[in-house]
Amino acid sequence: MKYISLLGATGSIGMQTLDVIKEHSNEFTLVAFSVGRNIDSAREIINQFSPQLVSVQEKPDYEMLKLEFPHVAFTYGNDGLTEVAVFEKADILVNAVIGSVGLLPTLQAIEAKKTIAIANKETLVTAGHLVMDAVKKHGVALLPVDSEHSAIYQALQGEQTKNIERLILTASGGSFRDRTREELEHVTLKEALAHPNWAMGAKITIDSASMMNKGLEVIEAHWLFSIGYEQIDVLLHKESIIHSMVEFHDSSIIAQLGTPDMRVPIQYALTYPDRLPLGGAKRLNLAEIGKLHFKEMDLERFRCLKFAYEAGKIGGTMPTVLNAANEVAVAAFIEGQITFLQIEDLIEKALSAHQSISNPSLATIQEVDKETRQFVQTLV
């Protein structure tokens, strides 16, 4: 039996993690989880999974749930996230929260020697050097949940990192992959949220449409696999059947394929190095699909991906700025305060205004993150 703590239980990844735990209740037990403000869903999860510890975002919700469920321990706020992350009964932390709020709980869980199943991109993007140093120091496993990084992780089983020629991340292209930049001038939020292949939360779906999601994944891949940016390519692949590939020095390429289903990489992270059956998963039938399509990525068309490569190569605090600026800009687009293309403009202005600080401490990263958010908000 593996005991699971879950950050972000009511998000897309969180809910699918719960599906995996429910299907394999003889293998996994949910002992702790966090939610934001979705208290109705929190009640359902408590009733179904009987966790020992639950964290919510707001104190009034904490007070209310304490009275409703006297047999459960409750906590709240950012400290509550950390309490869930380091909960002593848990073996594995699944970090599925959105945003840089996931960084500190991850670092604390690493120090507590938890196995980390990481679905929170911002943790590695903003502080990859701190996270990987901590992983090495404490000897814990950091298992990727993103479908692209899970694909690479699977392709590397039994291989040696020194033999890697390049990593090839595939990208669906998002909601606007067939539109020109001119056609993006007046796109709506509803259009941006209509992803052709994946069912995801609002923020990550917008990031997919702007290609920032893939840019963040490039930076993640750099840290997860200790690979230089010049060895990480992105390939447009509309069908999302090949989730990513690894090319080796001898010209061999190993790819991981499957129908789009996030439960697969989630479950692999929880069962690694073993595998379990996955009920309801659609089997891949290549004969039925017939053709797969690929296209070189245009960095001028998808400028957010270009920004990510540039920020990653500069390093230091520049990826922190990239991420913070994007979070504020995407939130502003969702609220109807800016247009879709202005997301790029705000990120570019934030990057241009920042002088990168090399090898930043956690305190420096947190300060730069805060300053960047304030700066972009003034532009909004």
Side-chain angles (χ1 to χ4, degrees), residues 326-347:
N326 180 64
E327 285 190 26
V328 174
V330 169
F333 173 65
I334 291 174
E335 292 297 320
Q337 296 175 299
I338 63 172
T339 66
F340 180 73
L341 287 180
Q342 283 179 311
I343 294 174
E344 297 176 350
D345 296 337
L346 293 175
I347 295 168

Side-chain angles (χ1 to χ4, degrees), residues 24-137:
H24 298 292
S25 58
N26 59 327
E27 302 279 345
F28 308 121
T29 296
L30 181 73
V31 293
F33 73 87
S34 78
V35 299
R37 296 187 176 92
N38 195 339
I39 303 306
D40 287 340
S41 291
R43 290 188 179 97
E44 293 176 10
I45 297 169
I46 293 169
N47 285 323
Q48 185 168 15
F49 292 91
S50 300
Q52 298 175 38
L53 175 66
V54 176
S55 175
V56 295
Q57 191 167 331
E58 305 294 342
K59 189 174 182 180
D61 294 328
Y62 155 80
E63 299 285 1
M64 178 174 59
L65 289 173
K66 269 202 314 181
L67 297 175
E68 290 182 36
F69 300 95
H71 60 287
V72 179
F74 288 94
T75 182
Y76 66 94
N78 288 339
D79 289 343
L81 289 178
T82 298
E83 287 182 52
V84 170
V86 302
F87 187 55
E88 62 179 2
K89 302 291 179 58
D91 306 310
I92 302 174
L93 167 66
V94 179
N95 186 344
V97 293
I98 299 294
S100 57
V101 68
L103 171 57
L104 192 56
T106 301
L107 289 172
Q108 294 291 327
I110 292 170
E111 287 188 20
K113 297 189 181 299
K114 307 295 183 185
T115 295
I116 311 295
I118 188 76
N120 173 254
K121 298 179 186 303
E122 296 79 8
T123 289
L124 284 170
V125 170
T126 59
H129 63 297
L130 297 181
V131 174
M132 299 314 294
D133 285 349
V135 164
K136 185 176 180 180
K137 177 181 177 182

Side-chain angles (χ1 to χ4, degrees), residues 32-33 51 70 90 112-113 145 172 185 206 224 231 238 251 254 257 272 280 290-291 295 303 306 350 372 374 376:
F33 73 87
K113 297 189 181 299
V145 168
S172 68
E185 289 288 345
I206 302 300
L224 279 169
Q231 291 177 272
K238 292 184 178 182
S251 79
I254 296 180
L257 289 72
Y272 176 82
K291 292 182 180 179
K295 188 177 180 181
R303 293 178 66 224
K306 179 182 178 182
T372 300
Q374 292 172 342
V376 176

Side-chain angles (χ1 to χ4, degrees), residues 104-316:
L104 192 56
T106 301
L107 289 172
Q108 294 291 327
I110 292 170
E111 287 188 20
K113 297 189 181 299
K114 307 295 183 185
T115 295
I116 311 295
I118 188 76
N120 173 254
K121 298 179 186 303
E122 296 79 8
T123 289
L124 284 170
V125 170
T126 59
H129 63 297
L130 297 181
V131 174
M132 299 314 294
D133 285 349
V135 164
K136 185 176 180 180
K137 177 181 177 182
H138 296 284
V140 303
L142 182 66
L143 303 171
V145 168
D146 272 347
S147 60
E148 295 81 1
H149 300 113
S150 178
I152 292 170
Y153 196 80
Q154 293 178 59
L156 287 174
Q157 295 306 304
E159 302 290 346
Q160 298 186 56
T161 304
K162 69 180 181 65
N163 295 328
I164 296 174
E165 183 72 19
R166 62 179 176 142
L167 306 180
I168 306 167
L169 299 175
T170 55
S172 68
S175 312
F176 303 136
R177 62 193 181 190
D178 296 319
R179 303 199 190 192
T180 64
R181 290 193 63 79
E182 291 71 26
E183 292 171 330
L184 296 178
E185 289 288 345
H186 304 292
V187 294
T188 65
L189 174 62
K190 183 178 179 180
E191 290 174 309
L193 291 175
H195 196 286
N197 298 351
W198 297 92
M200 304 180 291
K203 196 267 183 182
I204 194 171
T205 306
I206 302 300
D207 283 350
S208 181
S210 71
M211 207 55 66
M212 179 57 83
N213 190 49
K214 204 57 51 178
L216 299 179
E217 287 174 7
V218 167
I219 297 173
E220 279 187 283
H222 164 74
W223 291 113
L224 279 169
F225 305 109
S226 300
I227 296 293
Y229 289 99
E230 68 283 353
Q231 291 177 272
I232 305 173
D233 291 342
V234 176
L235 186 66
L236 193 61
H237 170 46
K238 292 184 178 182
E239 292 84 2
S240 296
I241 296 298
I242 293 179
H243 299 302
S244 279
M245 299 174 267
V246 180
E247 181 180 359
F248 297 93
H249 289 325
D250 62 0
S251 79
S252 294
I253 294 179
I254 296 180
Q256 188 263 336
L257 289 72
T259 54
D261 186 341
M262 277 305 300
R263 293 177 305 156
V264 176
I266 291 168
Q267 182 170 293
Y268 185 73
L270 295 182
T271 61
Y272 176 82
D274 200 0
R275 292 181 186 266
L276 291 173
L278 183 59
K282 184 180 179 182
R283 299 287 171 174
L284 178 61
N285 187 332
L286 289 174
E288 183 181 278
I289 293 169
K291 292 182 180 179
L292 298 176
H293 298 85
F294 306 94
K295 188 177 180 181
E296 189 175 357
M297 188 60 66
D298 184 349
L299 294 185
E300 293 306 319
R301 163 64 180 79
F302 297 106
R303 293 178 66 224
C304 282
L305 180 57
K306 179 182 178 182
F307 296 156
Y309 269 108
E310 292 171 348
K313 289 176 180 177
I314 292 170

